[in-house]
């Protein structure tokens, strides 16, 4: 491989320059791979001896793994940069036959394979990067679509082929950087597949994931149904990145293109984040509007319920006032009817007091109106019956007064009315007996009414206790 870089065209560096270059060097077997601008330079290690600053022994596994990580990271930088520049110069959608794109997937495959733990199977040990890629759908739900598409492809028979197909679909979706960042941020899950000093477990993996953002400007289209991804050999072609003796540094136009690309990548990434933020805010606004509408409807229903209950309460108050006024009038009319009427008036006062208590309980327990309404209707029915009985009693008393007046008139006018007086007296006694029986019935009905009021009071207390 030393023949790839002509010795006649490269000047012999001094020891200080060689030492400085060695600090920016990665190792592939016995070759040194150094970054020279945007190109790659390879030299055999036997050509240079580094005397300053003793370095770690090359047999140290950690030292070798660190060099491999740096090597892969530099190769990823060159591959991504070359792919973006060539794709923009080409100016069309890339396909699977495009050489820089093929090399990019080879480099990504090596990055994902670095430090993989070997899994023992019946055929021996197997290393596959498909296992870590399957975790992405658990971290980013959008990746479930490409994972399902990879599993449904009929031509893929090995985990390696499925991993290669997954990388191509993620690049087509322009979400490869997002998926890799989500995967690298969960090192607790990656530790099941990678060694502690693997590229995916170290800082280099995060750097590569950041570099992949630039690939969002590339449009790629792959047809994987007829492509044999299982048997492809992933070999990095260093000839695409080696510097020729006659090559020069990039022109100012390339620098401007790079700056424009960086700005474009930044703007696209910023737009993507802003779009995601806008979508989240819009979802929150929609949820708040739905919640506000629901609360407004509930408030309107509650206001209607309150108005209805207030109207019912006013109606109950009016009915109770009417009943109390009727009872008062009846009590006033019965003041002259003797001791029996006085007792009835006391009972009516008790009934009135009970009605007031019931009315207060109705105001407190307005929410139990439906249960109490039936009891109130029954009570109103009893009151109506009582009023009818009182009206009939009043009529009888009026008849009695008329009979007494007629009797006294006849006694004053004629002595001959003794017999008629006797008959009138008998009639008066009958009426008196009827009145006494009616009064007894009224008293009995009032006692029943008191019992019903007590029962209603007990039921109301039980309902209040249940409500509390």
């Amino acid at each position: 491989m030393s023949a790839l870089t002509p010795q006649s065209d490269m000047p012999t560096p001094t020891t200080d320059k060689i030492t400085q270059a060695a600090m920016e060097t990665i190792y592939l077997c016995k070759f040194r791979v150094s970054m020279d601008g945007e190109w790659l330079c390879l030299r055999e290690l036997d050509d240079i001896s580094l005397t300053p600053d003793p370095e770690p022994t090359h047999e140290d596994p950690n030292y070798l793994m660190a060099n491999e990580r740096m090597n892969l990271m530099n190769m990823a930088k060159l591959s991504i940069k070359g792919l973006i520049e060539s794709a923009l110069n080409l100016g069309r959608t890339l396909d699977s036959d495009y050489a820089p794109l093929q090399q990019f997937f080879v480099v990504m495959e090596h990055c994902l394979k670095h430090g993989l733990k070997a899994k023992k199977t019946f055929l021996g040990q197997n290393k596959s990067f498909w296992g870590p890629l399957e975790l992405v759908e658990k971290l980013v739900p959008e990746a479930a679509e490409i994972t399902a598409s990879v599993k449904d492809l009929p031509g893929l028979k090995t985990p390696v082929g499925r991993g290669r197909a997954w990388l191509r679909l993620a690049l087509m979706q322009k979400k490869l950087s997002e998926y890799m960042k989500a995967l690298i941020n969960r090192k607790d899950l990656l530790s099941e597949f990678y060694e502690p000093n693997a590229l995916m477990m170290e800082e280099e993996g995060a750097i590569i994931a950041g570099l992949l953002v630039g690939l969002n400007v590339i449009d790629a289209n792959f047809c994987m149904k007829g492509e044999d991804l299982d048997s492809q050999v992933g070999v990095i072609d260093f000839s695409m990145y080696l510097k020729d003796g006659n090559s020069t540094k990039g022109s100012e136009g390339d620098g401007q293109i790079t700056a424009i690309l960086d700005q474009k990548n930044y703007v696209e990434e910023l737009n993507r984040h802003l779009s995601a933020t806008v979508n989240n805010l819009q979802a929150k606004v929609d949820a708040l509007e739905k919640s506000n509408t629901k609360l407004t409807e509930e408030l309107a229903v509650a206001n209607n319920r309150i108005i209805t209950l207030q109207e019912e309460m006013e109606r109950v108050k009016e009915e109770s006032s009417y009943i109390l006024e009727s009872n008062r009038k009846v009590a006033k009319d019965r003041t002259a009817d003797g001791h029996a009427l006085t007792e009835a008036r006391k009972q009516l006062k008790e009934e009135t007091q009970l009605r007031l208590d019931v009315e207060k309980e109705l105001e407190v327990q307005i929410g139990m109106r439906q249960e109490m309404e039936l009891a109130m209707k029954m009570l109103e029915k009893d009151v109506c019956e009582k009023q009818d009985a009182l009206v009939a009693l009043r009529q009888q008393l009026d008849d009695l007064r008329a009979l007494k007046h007629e009797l006294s008139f006849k006694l004053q006018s004629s002595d001959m009315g003794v017999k008629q007086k006797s008959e009138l007296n008998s009639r008066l006694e009958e009426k008196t007996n009827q009145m006494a029986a009616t009064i007894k019935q009224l008293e009995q009905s009032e006692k029943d009414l008191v019992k019903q009021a007590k029962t209603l009071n007990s039921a109301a207390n039980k309902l209040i206790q249940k409500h509390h």
Side-chain angles (χ1 to χ4, degrees):
M1 292 183 65
S2 61
L4 295 174
T5 305
Q7 298 294 330
S8 60
D9 295 337
M10 296 186 63
T12 304
T14 62
T15 305
D16 295 337
K17 292 183 178 179
I18 294 173
T19 304
Q20 184 179 0
M23 300 302 295
E24 301 175 354
T25 297
I26 56 178
Y27 294 92
L28 289 174
C29 299
K30 60 183 297 184
F31 295 94
R32 186 182 68 186
V33 183
S34 62
M35 299 288 295
D36 183 10
E38 59 182 12
W39 296 94
L40 197 67
C41 296
L42 275 71
R43 294 182 185 174
E44 292 189 21
L45 294 178
D46 297 337
D47 296 340
I48 301 173
S49 62
L50 304 177
T51 54
D53 297 335
E55 296 185 0
T57 307
H58 291 275
E59 286 75 11
D60 186 4
N62 294 328
Y63 176 76
L64 294 176
M65 292 289 285
N67 286 328
E68 290 175 2
R69 291 197 304 270
M70 289 295 297
N71 177 31
L72 290 172
M73 184 183 71
N74 289 328
M75 288 304 305
K77 287 181 180 179
L78 287 174
S79 176
I80 293 171
K81 184 177 179 180
L83 177 59
I84 293 173
E85 291 179 355
S86 61
L88 292 177
N89 292 331
L90 186 63
R92 63 177 177 84
T93 303
L94 306 182
D95 54 20
S96 58
D97 295 332
Y98 191 58
L101 190 59
Q102 292 177 353
Q103 284 300 302
F104 165 73
F105 286 124
V106 172
V107 173
M108 284 301 300
E109 184 176 339
H110 280 276
C111 291
L112 291 171
K113 285 182 177 179
H114 184 262
L116 267 176
K117 293 181 180 179
K119 293 186 178 181
K120 295 181 179 180
T121 62
F122 293 103
L123 300 178
Q125 293 184 348
N126 181 25
K127 289 185 178 181
S128 173
F129 59 92
W130 170 240
L133 296 182
E134 281 188 299
L135 295 175
V136 178
E137 64 176 340
K138 298 179 181 179
L139 305 176
V140 184
E142 297 176 1
E145 181 180 354
I146 63 173
T147 304
S149 300
V150 169
K151 292 179 180 179
D152 293 338
L153 287 175
L156 300 179
K157 300 179 181 179
T158 63
V160 175
R162 286 191 286 271
R164 291 169 177 169
W166 190 94
L167 289 175
R168 284 158 173 78
L169 291 176
L171 183 63
M172 288 174 59
Q173 201 180 29
K174 295 186 179 182
K175 292 291 185 68
L176 183 58
S177 174
E178 181 181 349
Y179 296 157
M180 295 302 293
K181 286 180 181 178
L183 187 61
I184 289 173
N185 290 334
R186 294 300 302 272
K187 291 183 173 56
D188 54 334
L189 299 177
L190 290 177
S191 61
E192 181 182 354
F193 300 95
Y194 289 99
E195 300 292 343
N197 52 2
L199 184 141
M200 296 293 288
M201 302 291 289
E202 296 292 341
E203 184 180 359
E204 290 82 359
I207 294 174
I208 293 175
L211 294 173
L212 293 175
V213 177
L215 297 179
N216 292 339
V217 301
I218 295 177
D219 294 326
N221 188 15
F222 304 104
C223 182
M224 290 174 289
K225 289 185 178 180
E227 190 173 358
D228 185 10
L229 297 177
D230 293 326
S231 59
Q232 289 183 359
V233 179
V235 179
I236 300 176
D237 184 8
F238 291 100
S239 62
M240 297 180 62
Y241 312 108
L242 290 175
K243 182 178 181 181
D244 191 4
N246 297 325
S247 63
T248 60
K249 294 184 178 180
S251 62
E252 294 181 358
D254 294 336
Q256 292 177 357
I257 292 175
T258 303
I260 292 173
L261 287 176
D262 292 339
Q263 293 177 1
K264 183 179 181 181
N265 294 338
Y266 172 75
V267 171
E268 288 186 353
E269 186 69 15
L270 183 61
N271 286 336
R272 189 170 66 83
H273 286 295
L274 289 176
S275 298
T277 304
V278 169
N279 292 332
N280 292 333
L281 291 175
Q282 186 63 36
K284 291 180 180 179
V285 169
D286 294 339
L288 290 174
E289 288 180 353
K290 291 180 181 178
S291 178
N292 189 18
T293 303
K294 185 177 180 181
L295 290 175
T296 303
E297 293 176 355
E298 292 179 354
L299 180 61
V301 172
N303 289 333
N304 294 333
R305 180 63 177 170
I306 290 172
I307 293 171
T308 304
L309 292 175
Q310 289 177 350
E311 291 177 353
E312 293 177 354
M313 183 177 177
E314 293 295 332
R315 183 176 61 83
V316 171
K317 284 183 177 180
E318 291 177 358
E319 293 178 355
S320 300
S321 300
Y322 175 75
I323 293 172
L324 289 173
E325 188 65 24
S326 300
N327 291 335
R328 287 172 184 172
K329 290 180 180 179
V330 171
K332 289 179 180 179
D333 293 337
R334 292 172 52 191
T335 52
D337 293 337
H339 182 70
L341 296 177
T342 302
E343 292 179 354
R345 184 174 60 187
K346 290 181 180 179
Q347 292 177 356
L348 286 175
K349 289 182 179 180
E350 293 177 357
E351 180 186 350
T352 303
Q353 186 63 35
L354 290 174
R355 285 180 179 277
L356 291 174
D357 295 337
V358 171
E359 184 179 355
K360 291 180 181 179
E361 292 172 2
L362 286 174
E363 292 177 355
V364 175
Q365 298 294 330
I366 194 67
M368 302 176 182
R369 181 186 56 81
Q370 294 180 353
E371 290 81 358
M372 299 295 292
E373 190 175 7
L374 180 61
M376 287 297 297
K377 287 181 179 180
M378 294 175 63
L379 188 60
E380 289 174 0
K381 183 178 178 180
D382 293 336
V383 170
C384 291
E385 292 177 356
K386 182 178 178 182
Q387 288 177 351
D388 294 337
L390 291 174
V391 170
L393 182 60
R394 188 186 302 168
Q395 186 65 34
Q396 292 176 2
L397 290 173
D398 292 338
D399 295 339
L400 182 59
R401 289 193 185 98
L403 289 174
K404 286 183 178 180
H405 181 70
E406 183 180 357
L407 181 59
S408 60
F409 179 77
K410 288 183 179 181
L411 286 173
Q412 292 175 1
S413 62
S414 177
D415 294 333
M416 297 290 294
V418 175
K419 185 176 181 179
Q420 294 178 357
K421 183 178 179 181
S422 300
E423 293 176 357
L424 289 174
N425 285 333
S426 62
R427 289 173 59 187
L428 179 61
E429 288 177 356
E430 291 176 359
K431 292 290 183 179
T432 303
N433 293 331
Q434 291 177 0
M435 185 180 68
T438 303
I439 290 173
K440 289 181 180 180
Q441 291 178 359
L442 180 60
E443 290 176 353
Q444 185 64 32
S445 64
E446 287 178 348
K447 290 179 180 180
D448 294 338
L449 183 60
V450 170
K451 290 181 180 180
Q452 291 178 359
K454 290 181 179 180
T455 303
L456 180 61
N457 189 15
S458 176
N461 291 330
K462 292 181 179 180
L463 288 174
I464 292 172
Q465 292 176 359
K466 289 182 179 180
H467 179 69
H468 290 297

